[in-house]
Each structure stands twice: as structure tokens, then as C-alpha cells.
Amino acid sequence: MNEIPPFASLCAPIGPLEDGHGRTVRYIRLSVTDRCNLRCAYCRSGMETFIPHESVLRYEEMEQLVDMAIDMGVEKVRLTGGEPFARKGFVDFLERLRAAHPALDIRVTTNGTLLGPHIPALKSIGLNAVNLSLDTFDRAKFERITGRDLFPRVRESMDALLEAGIPLKLNAVAMRGFNDDELSAFIGYALAHPVDVRFIEFMPMGEGTRWTDACFWSATDILAAVREVVDIRPLSEEQRNGGPARLYALTGPDGPGLGRLGLITPLSNHFCAACNRLRITSDGALRTCLFDDREYRLRNALRHPRLGIRAVRRIVS
Ligand code: SAM
């Protein structure tokens, strides 16, 4: 764990954000909270002991980090969690980010359960997109996997987002024995709505995530099953627009679909070469890779009276 760099190195010039492989980082994911209102059976979020409040970055500290990242070439910020809308003041934070950075691409990843009342505000902020996590279209299964009977709320929010013209992507964790029998529902949704419906391979993310070989549903198997339902055509790298998903256009019985299918394959096919993102946890740790537990603690430097954001820049660069 890297804490604070030597003082001398703080004086060197600072360039754009590059990782150890010479890739320029254009995209950061910032977790605004580790808390979540759902208890998804496969997820670590909300299951572990929570980070003490005083250790979680204040919004002003997150704003400083975003300002710094933009200064270093970052163009896109994704706010995630835990559940971002579960943290008080989240929409005000988005408003301040937008006011400070009119051209910034700001996206949110959410479970959609607390989103509804905020959609008009998100529209006026000019939120660039919402990624919404939804693993099933069945209300009883939704309650079983998340621990909460909130499917109708999520479904209403999806409609309201589209109505408001806020671009939407759906993310479903692909689990054999849980949602492999719902392929037609997911494909049907993508055919009828201008939404990328993306399956994420189930990742064994440590204790409590209940990952087993038997419930792993690989992208190859998903693709084979999709081909039995609709015609698909792979889209090019450019059409992926730097995202982690392999994308496919769909043609159903009534013609071309409005939306697309995406496959995110952290296990069967790493997307490291195309990865241009850094992650910052809600307590201010910088992580360079989803599969690497090493982290660089930024919070202590950020809060240090003589170090502050300049020292953080040095750690990051
Ligand atoms: N609460 C927000 C949400 O539900 O989108 C943001 C946080 S959630 C941890 C981010 C994404 O990680 C969700 O799409 C979730 O489904 C996915 N996820 C969590 N655990 C996973 C696992 N073991 N394998 C694959 N994806 C996982």
C-alpha cells in the first residue's frame, strides 16, 4: 500500500494520467459510498462491515479529485457505490460537478430503486447516461436475489429515464440457474427499447459472493443461446466506444432491434488492453485494476495540512 510520496518528488512537473503500460487514462470510476439499500446475493457491496463515516470522502474532497483528474486529461467520470442514490446529497453533488465542468461526461451506475424522484433533476443536470443493474424481469426473483421487493419501482424508473431521454444501459449479472431462463425477456426488452442490454459474467469477488462453477454462465454460452432466439451481428471496436462490452446488433421477428446486446467478459476474455479507467473507492483509495487488490491511499494526503491535492497528483501520476 502506497501512502505518501517523498516531499522532493512533489516538485517535479506533472503530466497527463498514464498507467504503467503507457495507456492514457480518460475515465475514472468514483464510488461515493460503500453502503447499499439492496443485499444482492452475489455482491460484496453492503455485506461487509461499513467504512466509518469519517473515513468516507466528503463531497468537497471528491470534487477536488475530479478537478485534478480533469486537469490531467480525464474526460469521463462514473459515479457508483454501494448505491450512489443512498448517499444524502448525491444529486446536489452531481449538480456542482456539472456546474464546474459543463463538458464532462458524467454517468451513474445504480440499482434504480431510489432513482425515480430524481429523474427530472438528472435531466436538467444533463447527466450523460445511467447504467442500471437489473438481473431479472421477474418480481419474485428480484426479491429473492436483492432481498427487497422493489422491482416495480425499478421498472418504472427505466420507463421514466427513457421518457426523459436519458441514455440507459441495463447490466445483468449472468447466472446459470437464476436468469438463464429469462434470455427471451432480456432480448425482447433490447428489441423494443433503445437500450444496450449487457450481460456481465459472474465474478468470484471473494467471501460471500456465492460464486460456484455451476452458476457461471459464460459469454460463449450466452451467445449460443441468443443465436437460437434472434439474429445477431457483431459491431466493430469503434462502435464499442471504448466500453468493456462486446456489442451485437439484434434482428428479431419484427425487424431490427432498437437496442443492442452487450457481453462483458471479465473472466473468459479479459479486456485489459482496452482498459482506460481508474477506480477510486469511497474512502479515497485508488485502484488501477478490478483484479488487483493493491491500492494507493489518497485520503491521508488529501487531508494532510501540508500535502493536499498537490501530493495526491504526485501519487496518481
Ligand atoms: N449499486 C449500484 C448498482 O447496483 O449498479 C452500483 C454498485 S454495483 C456493485 C455495480 C455493478 O457490479 C452491478 O451491476 C452489479 O451487478 C455488479 N456486480 C456486483 N457483484 C458482482 C459479481 N460478483 N459479478 C459480476 N458483477 C457483479
Side-chain angles (χ1 to χ4, degrees), residues 29-316:
R29 287 177 71 109
L30 176 58
S31 173
V32 300
T33 178
D34 61 326
R35 287 158 167 80
C36 187
N37 60 325
L38 299 185
R39 294 288 176 270
C40 296
Y42 53 76
C43 184
R44 279 191 305 195
S45 236
M47 285 186 180
E48 297 164 305
T49 43
F50 292 122
I51 298 169
H53 278 295
E54 62 278 12
S55 300
V56 173
L57 292 184
R58 296 186 287 271
Y59 283 127
E60 308 87 78
E61 292 170 329
M62 293 184 185
E63 285 162 37
Q64 280 185 290
L65 290 177
V66 173
D67 290 352
M68 175 201 74
I70 291 170
D71 223 28
M72 298 172 87
V74 163
E75 294 160 352
K76 178 164 148 187
V77 175
R78 174 172 302 286
L79 289 323
T80 180
E83 172 50 38
F85 288 93
R87 179 161 177 188
K88 212 169 148 210
F90 177 60
V91 177
D92 297 337
F93 167 63
L94 290 178
E95 260 166 25
R96 288 194 301 276
L97 272 191
R98 172 56 78 224
H101 305 289
L104 180 64
D105 186 328
I106 307 175
R107 296 168 185 237
V108 173
T109 298
T110 173
N111 61 39
T113 58
L114 304 169
L115 185 67
H118 302 297
I119 290 174
L122 299 178
K123 174 74 182 165
S124 74
I125 288 167
L127 187 69
N128 293 81
V130 168
N131 280 12
L132 192 144
S133 306
L134 182 71
D135 306 316
T136 175
F137 279 87
D138 179 285
R139 182 173 178 170
K141 281 165 75 177
F142 182 95
E143 184 173 7
R144 184 144 52 87
I145 197 86
T146 66
R148 302 280 187 277
D149 179 22
L150 294 175
F151 175 73
R153 263 209 228 171
V154 177
R155 196 63 195 76
E156 276 166 29
S157 291
M158 286 156 59
D159 289 343
L161 282 167
L162 293 180
E163 182 95 350
I166 299 176
L168 171 66
K169 291 179 187 171
L170 275 198
N171 289 332
V173 178
M175 289 169 281
R176 249 190 220 292
F178 180 73
N179 54 13
D180 54 342
D181 60 341
E182 284 192 69
L183 198 57
S184 301
F186 282 102
I187 297 295
Y189 187 83
L191 287 171
H193 302 87
V195 172
D196 285 353
V197 173
R198 310 178 325 162
F199 284 102
I200 310 173
E201 285 178 344
F202 188 7
M203 291 182 276
M205 301 218 294
E207 291 287 308
T209 59
R210 303 186 198 181
W211 191 95
T212 63
D213 259 345
C215 56
F216 180 65
W217 187 21
S218 74
T220 310
D221 290 352
I222 297 171
L223 213 49
V226 172
R227 284 202 170 95
E228 290 183 14
V229 185
V230 282
D231 288 335
I232 58 173
R233 179 173 52 81
L235 298 174
S236 66
E237 283 292 319
E238 288 87 66
Q239 287 160 310
R240 268 166 83 152
N241 204 14
R246 274 188 280 147
L247 286 175
Y248 298 84
L250 304 168
T251 304
D254 301 326
L258 296 176
R260 307 179 293 188
L261 169 76
L263 295 172
I264 302 179
T265 55
L267 291 198
S268 67
N269 185 5
H270 282 210
F271 35 82
C272 304
C275 183
N276 63 351
R277 68 200 62 190
L278 290 178
R279 293 175 173 76
I280 302 176
T281 63
S282 56
D283 58 344
L286 176 78
R287 288 196 180 153
T288 53
C289 175
L290 202 56
F291 293 101
D292 187 342
D293 281 336
R294 265 176 306 177
E295 53 184 36
Y296 302 83
R297 302 215 61 90
L298 308 181
R299 190 191 64 232
N300 291 351
L302 193 60
R303 290 185 179 171
H304 192 287
R306 278 177 296 115
L307 294 174
I309 195 73
R310 176 114 191 121
V312 173
R313 286 182 71 134
R314 179 53 55 207
I315 298 173
V316 172

